[in-house]
Amino acid sequence: MKNKETEKTAKRTSVKKRIVVKVGSNVLTRDDGKVDVTRMSAIVDQIVWLKRNGYEVILVSSGSMACGRNELKVNHKLDSVEQRQLFSAIGQVKLVGLYYDLFREFNFHVGQVLTMKESFATRGEYLNQRSCMSVMLENNVIPIVNENDTVSVTELMFTDNDELSGLIASMMDCDTLIILTNVDGIFNGDPKEPNTRVIPIVNYDHDLSEYILDTKSGFGRGGMITKAHIANKVADEGIKVIIANGKTDNILINLATRPQHTMHTEFRPNPNPTSTVKKWIAHSESFAKGIVHVNAKAAEALRGDKAVSLLLVGVTTIEGEFEEGDIISIVDERGKLVAVGRSAYDSDEAVKNIGKHDLKPLIHYDYMYME
């Protein structure tokens, strides 16, 4: 049967390195807010070079709003949701059309993948998306991925396309995620100060929030704190993450051929990557259908060095309604998130068995991700 849990990871067509390139709105737009077609063309040229030099490339591209905003002048006021829906609907057509024309010059085919946060919430939908992009890669088609802003509303939106690109890199079992923004990497202070420098190497478990200013890019939703958070999580899953300046000439080629001489921040990956199921669960906190409160002993055991499952004997209360197989959150007595995982019970059955011994785990270790 298709999409069983025993299904193999996304197939590789060869020994090619598989990478996700995320291009932010701040890279694809000029100072006046219009789309920078020259920059788009340069990025396409570089992706073509990567393809011809043994890389499989998935492109996560922002820019639909910027494309649409300059196509239509509206004579009445629109709220923020209406603007996103209208301008992204118009702009997505233009954005993919530009990519289509630019890649066609090199005889490369592209395919559009529009997705939503909800599409990653269930394992079945997750695997269906992976199958779609896998068959595209197997047939030498470049997937161009963006959030479907026409139907996404605020509470269902990704933080930004950085979050989406991290999910795609994890889902497709990629070697590297490259986040292209309008700065050279993560700085060890205010980039405007003369002695501030780019941090070249970061370990997957190192928190950089102390160095990062809480500011957002001019045309995107996400800031550097979001990028660093996503980079840490993806690197913890065994995927190398690079944050670099997409407006630097030949940045992708230089990262591939002379990384030691190219300005960027690299998050070194965890040498012991998680399973494909845990990679899905790692990004599923916002999809959680319920909250499980555990006692201090259970929280301590889960946070310990040994691999343990969550037993019902350690559960104190359960909030929310969920089905078997849904993602649920585990919190300690102070309400602090301990882990997220896939429930082996529905909520009614779980509530009925709170505190009982000698039953199967509420969440097995193989389907749990520690926060």
Side-chain angles (χ1 to χ4, degrees), residues 35 46 95 99 105 116 168 176 196 200 204 214 227 250 266 274-275 291 312:
V35 176
Q46 294 171 69
L95 181 71
Y99 278 125
E105 292 180 18
M116 298 186 299
I168 297 296
T176 304
T196 306
Y204 68 92
D214 189 14
K227 290 174 174 58
N250 292 320
E266 175 185 323
T274 56
S275 68
I291 301 173
L312 283 157

Side-chain angles (χ1 to χ4, degrees), residues 189-212:
D190 187 343
K192 296 177 182 177
E193 296 296 324
N195 295 324
T196 306
R197 297 289 181 267
V198 168
I199 302 170
I201 299 290
V202 183
N203 208 37
Y204 68 92
D205 56 358
H206 187 67
D207 183 11
L208 286 180
S209 58
E210 61 183 291
Y211 298 116
I212 303 171

Side-chain angles (χ1 to χ4, degrees), residues 189-259:
D190 187 343
K192 296 177 182 177
E193 296 296 324
N195 295 324
T196 306
R197 297 289 181 267
V198 168
I199 302 170
I201 299 290
V202 183
N203 208 37
Y204 68 92
D205 56 358
H206 187 67
D207 183 11
L208 286 180
S209 58
E210 61 183 291
Y211 298 116
I212 303 171
L213 297 176
D214 189 14
T215 55
K216 294 184 178 181
S217 57
F219 298 102
R221 296 204 301 272
M224 195 56 75
I225 287 179
T226 302
K227 290 174 174 58
H229 175 71
I230 295 299
N232 275 128
K233 178 166 281 191
V234 173
D236 185 42
E237 295 161 18
I239 299 168
K240 180 167 71 174
V241 183
I242 290 171
I243 297 175
N245 196 330
K247 295 191 174 185
T248 299
D249 291 342
N250 292 320
I251 184 64
L252 293 173
I253 297 172
N254 290 338
L255 287 170
T257 58
R258 50 197 300 270

Side-chain angles (χ1 to χ4, degrees), residues 4 13 17 38 90 97 139 173 222 225 241 256-257 272 287 312 357:
K4 284 186 176 180
T13 56
K17 291 183 179 180
T38 302
I90 297 170
N139 289 278
D173 194 28
I225 287 179
V241 183
T257 58
N272 301 303
F287 312 140
L312 283 157
H357 293 266

Side-chain angles (χ1 to χ4, degrees), residues 43-314:
I43 289 169
V44 167
D45 291 349
Q46 294 171 69
I47 290 175
V48 168
W49 183 94
L50 291 171
K51 290 277 293 177
R52 290 174 174 170
N53 283 272
Y55 290 85
E56 287 183 332
V57 182
I58 299 169
L59 175 60
V60 177
S61 178
S62 304
S64 62
M65 282 281 289
C67 283
R69 192 179 287 114
N70 290 289
E71 287 293 303
L72 180 68
K73 301 303 178 185
V74 181
N75 59 9
H76 60 281
K77 189 173 182 180
L78 300 172
D79 65 32
S80 58
V81 172
E82 289 173 331
Q83 287 185 50
R84 288 193 66 80
Q85 291 177 321
L86 177 62
F87 294 142
S88 64
I90 297 170
Q92 188 64 32
V93 176
K94 181 178 179 180
L95 181 71
V96 172
L98 286 169
Y99 278 125
Y100 173 82
D101 289 337
L102 291 168
F103 278 109
R104 187 175 58 174
E105 292 180 18
F106 300 97
N107 294 316
F108 277 102
H109 295 283
V110 298
Q112 177 178 255
V113 179
L114 293 178
T115 188
M116 298 186 299
K117 203 167 193 176
E118 279 188 318
S119 301
F120 293 86
T122 68
R123 185 69 175 160
E125 288 181 279
Y126 180 89
L127 292 175
N128 282 334
Q129 287 188 98
R130 191 173 73 179
S131 295
C132 171
M133 278 185 260
S134 293
V135 75
M136 292 170 74
L137 293 172
E138 289 163 17
N139 289 278
N140 206 30
V141 175
I142 301 168
I144 300 178
V145 188
N146 198 2
E147 182 173 12
N148 191 351
D149 289 327
T150 59
V151 294
S152 293
V153 292
T154 305
E155 62 271 19
L156 299 177
M157 285 162 51
F158 290 104
T159 305
D160 54 29
N161 271 351
D162 297 320
E163 183 183 4
L164 174 58
S165 68
L167 260 167
I168 297 296
S170 177
M171 179 178 75
M172 298 306 297
D173 194 28
C174 292
D175 302 287
T176 304
L177 165 62
I178 301 174
I179 298 175
L180 295 182
T181 183
N182 60 347
V183 293
D184 293 328
I186 296 179
F187 289 79
N188 61 359
D190 187 343
K192 296 177 182 177
E193 296 296 324
N195 295 324
T196 306
R197 297 289 181 267
V198 168
I199 302 170
I201 299 290
V202 183
N203 208 37
Y204 68 92
D205 56 358
H206 187 67
D207 183 11
L208 286 180
S209 58
E210 61 183 291
Y211 298 116
I212 303 171
L213 297 176
D214 189 14
T215 55
K216 294 184 178 181
S217 57
F219 298 102
R221 296 204 301 272
M224 195 56 75
I225 287 179
T226 302
K227 290 174 174 58
H229 175 71
I230 295 299
N232 275 128
K233 178 166 281 191
V234 173
D236 185 42
E237 295 161 18
I239 299 168
K240 180 167 71 174
V241 183
I242 290 171
I243 297 175
N245 196 330
K247 295 191 174 185
T248 299
D249 291 342
N250 292 320
I251 184 64
L252 293 173
I253 297 172
N254 290 338
L255 287 170
T257 58
R258 50 197 300 270
Q260 66 275 20
H261 301 297
T262 303
M263 193 79 76
H264 68 282
T265 297
E266 175 185 323
F267 288 75
R268 285 180 171 165
N270 186 342
N272 301 303
T274 56
S275 68
T276 55
V277 173
K278 285 199 175 190
K279 284 181 178 180
W280 166 58
I281 293 171
H283 293 270
S284 298
E285 179 189 340
S286 59
F287 312 140
K289 299 290 181 66
I291 301 173
V292 177
H293 297 260
V294 298
N295 58 34
K297 186 175 180 180
E300 183 181 0
L302 291 172
R303 288 174 171 142
D305 295 331
K306 294 182 179 180
V308 296
S309 301
L310 175 61
L311 303 177
L312 283 157
V313 68

